[in-house]
Amino acid sequence: MDATGSGCGPSACPRPSRRAYAEDMYARRKHLYFAMMGLCVGLFVLAWAVVRLWSVPAAVAMCVVAMVIPPVAAIVANRRGPEDRWWDDPSGDARSDEWWDELDGKKRPPRP
C-alpha cells in the first residue's frame, strides 16, 4: 500500500486514458465559460440595481467591463486544446483522405 492508501504503487496503478483527460479538459472549459457568463450577468444586475444609485459613471464602467466578457468567454470555451485531435478527422472527401493518409504513412481500410 502506498502513502495515499490506494493500494497500488506508482507503476502498478493504471494511468487515466487520453479520453478521460479530454473529457476533463472539456468540462473545465465549460465550467469556466459558465462562470465568466455568470460574472457578466452579475455585473449588469449589480451595476443597474445597486451601483447606479451612488454613481452612474461607475455603473456604466461596470457594463463596459461586462460587455467585454462574452467574447472572451466564447474564445475560452471554443479553444482547441492539445487533447483535441482535429487533424486526424476525415474530411469526407475520400480522395483527399487517401492522399493525406498516404502522406502520413497511414493505411485505412477501403471504403465500401
Side-chain angles (χ1 to χ4, degrees):
M1 191 172 294
D2 67 351
T4 61
S6 66
C8 60
S11 62
C13 290
R15 299 183 73 203
S17 69
R18 187 171 186 85
R19 183 78 177 155
Y21 175 75
E23 290 169 359
D24 184 46
M25 290 301 293
Y26 174 72
R28 193 172 297 142
R29 287 194 313 247
K30 189 168 66 169
H31 290 141
L32 184 58
Y33 172 79
F34 283 115
M36 291 176 79
M37 293 305 289
L39 177 65
C40 175
V41 170
L43 280 173
F44 272 119
V45 170
L46 188 64
W48 295 113
V50 178
V51 175
R52 73 169 171 91
L53 300 173
W54 288 279
S55 173
V56 171
V60 170
M62 288 173 68
C63 286
V64 168
V65 169
M67 181 180 68
V68 173
I69 293 174
V72 173
I75 290 169
V76 166
N78 291 313
R79 179 183 61 87
R80 291 187 192 256
E83 72 281 354
D84 296 331
R85 297 185 57 89
W86 54 270
W87 60 87
D88 285 344
D89 291 342
S91 67
D93 179 16
R95 191 169 172 200
S96 175
D97 289 341
E98 289 173 13
W99 184 76
W100 281 108
D101 287 346
E102 182 181 338
L103 285 178
D104 291 339
K106 293 191 267 181
K107 294 291 181 193
R108 291 185 186 208
R111 295 184 184 195

